[in-house]
Amino acid sequence: MVAIMTGDETMAPNGKLQSGRHVIDRGPAERLVGWAAIAAAASAVLAWAACCVLPLVLSLGGLGFGMTGWIVGQRNGLTLAALAAVGVGWGLTWRRARTCRVDGTCPPPSRLTVGGLAGASVLTLAARIWQPLIEPWLLSLLRVLRG
């Protein structure tokens, strides 16, 4: 059994995490969970922004975004999918951390996965509070900027 301490981890030439002489293979599933949660949360934020703020910002820059109507229609579904992806990600990460802590046969979840899930959680929260809190503030800010 190898105890991994902070600062004891290095990256091996093959791209796997290494602790001392032992190479730790976290596997593609762990990376997939983190990236799926981030992608789902970012799409939910985009869907909520596509209603009002995003077209105004793009028009100020002289750009258009023709798919906003379709994306706006999908925002509740995208937000629910993001909530599910983030929830599953945290559940799998918590389960792995608990299992590794109990039997000590596997490495704990990576910092990248935990950081990605934390970022996805923040984005999902932003998507959920977009319409009641963020959108009115951004629209008033855009009105002030337009003069």
Side-chain angles (χ1 to χ4, degrees), residues 88-101 109 117:
V88 167
W90 279 118
L92 291 173
T93 301
W94 176 78
R95 189 177 79 188
R96 179 182 175 125
R98 193 178 90 212
T99 302
C100 293
R101 191 172 44 245
L117 285 171

Side-chain angles (χ1 to χ4, degrees), residues 106-124:
C106 59
S110 71
R111 289 185 215 155
L112 180 63
T113 299
V114 173
L117 285 171
S121 298
V122 169
L123 286 174
T124 304

Side-chain angles (χ1 to χ4, degrees), residues 92-146:
L92 291 173
T93 301
W94 176 78
R95 189 177 79 188
R96 179 182 175 125
R98 193 178 90 212
T99 302
C100 293
R101 191 172 44 245
V102 169
D103 64 12
T105 59
C106 59
S110 71
R111 289 185 215 155
L112 180 63
T113 299
V114 173
L117 285 171
S121 298
V122 169
L123 286 174
T124 304
L125 175 66
R128 203 56 235 141
I129 64 170
W130 187 270
Q131 194 170 17
L133 298 175
I134 298 172
E135 187 175 307
W137 177 76
L138 284 176
L139 286 174
S140 66
L141 181 65
L142 283 173
R143 280 189 213 109
V144 169
L145 290 175
R146 283 184 98 177

Side-chain angles (χ1 to χ4, degrees), residues 3-143:
I4 298 175
M5 308 303 270
T6 305
D8 193 24
E9 300 173 343
T10 58
M11 196 59 85
N14 61 1
K16 294 181 179 177
L17 195 62
Q18 161 176 317
S19 175
R21 294 183 312 224
H22 304 285
V23 175
I24 301 167
D25 185 13
R26 296 192 191 275
E30 184 178 349
R31 288 187 295 274
L32 180 65
V33 167
W35 287 111
I38 290 171
S43 67
V45 170
L46 175 68
W48 284 94
C51 169
C52 305
V53 174
L54 190 61
L56 284 174
V57 170
L58 290 175
S59 67
L60 285 174
L63 302 171
F65 195 57
M67 294 289 291
T68 56
W70 181 82
I71 292 173
V72 168
Q74 306 302 317
R75 63 184 173 190
N76 286 326
L78 287 171
T79 303
L80 289 175
L83 285 170
V86 170
V88 167
W90 279 118
L92 291 173
T93 301
W94 176 78
R95 189 177 79 188
R96 179 182 175 125
R98 193 178 90 212
T99 302
C100 293
R101 191 172 44 245
V102 169
D103 64 12
T105 59
C106 59
S110 71
R111 289 185 215 155
L112 180 63
T113 299
V114 173
L117 285 171
S121 298
V122 169
L123 286 174
T124 304
L125 175 66
R128 203 56 235 141
I129 64 170
W130 187 270
Q131 194 170 17
L133 298 175
I134 298 172
E135 187 175 307
W137 177 76
L138 284 176
L139 286 174
S140 66
L141 181 65
L142 283 173
R143 280 189 213 109

